Amino acid sequence: MPNDPAPRARRVRMERGGPAVVEGPVEVVLEDGTLARSDRFAVALCTCRRSRTYPWCDTSHRRRVSRGPAEGDGS
């Protein structure tokens, strides 16, 4: 209807190296067409694909350990 107010925009917060946090409730359509739904007030969507609960983030991105040069190796 022409006089209906526009729906409120969803806010999405992107976190470097982490999930996309979306104000809920949300519905996510996965690649295979299945629908994942959450009624929470905010959800974290996995962007690294390491989550065991994909599409929801389970903080698996935090477990990635970067290895630098070994200390005291004489180089």
Side-chain angles (χ1 to χ4, degrees):
M1 300 207 155
N3 293 328
D4 287 344
R8 185 176 152 258
R10 295 282 178 210
R11 181 167 296 191
V12 178
R13 188 175 72 242
M14 302 302 293
E15 297 187 10
R16 184 181 306 267
V21 180
V22 182
E23 291 180 357
V26 299
E27 289 183 343
V28 178
V29 180
L30 301 174
E31 291 173 309
D32 65 0
T34 60
L35 186 68
R37 179 175 171 80
S38 174
D39 291 319
R40 297 180 56 122
F41 66 93
V43 295
L45 296 176
C46 177
T47 59
C48 70
R49 293 193 159 274
R50 292 186 192 110
S51 177
R52 291 184 183 162
T53 59
Y54 186 83
W56 318 120
C57 177
D58 66 2
T59 69
S60 291
H61 61 274
R62 294 182 187 168
R63 292 188 204 93
R64 183 174 159 195
V65 178
S66 68
R67 305 241 182 230
E71 293 183 26
D73 66 357
S75 50

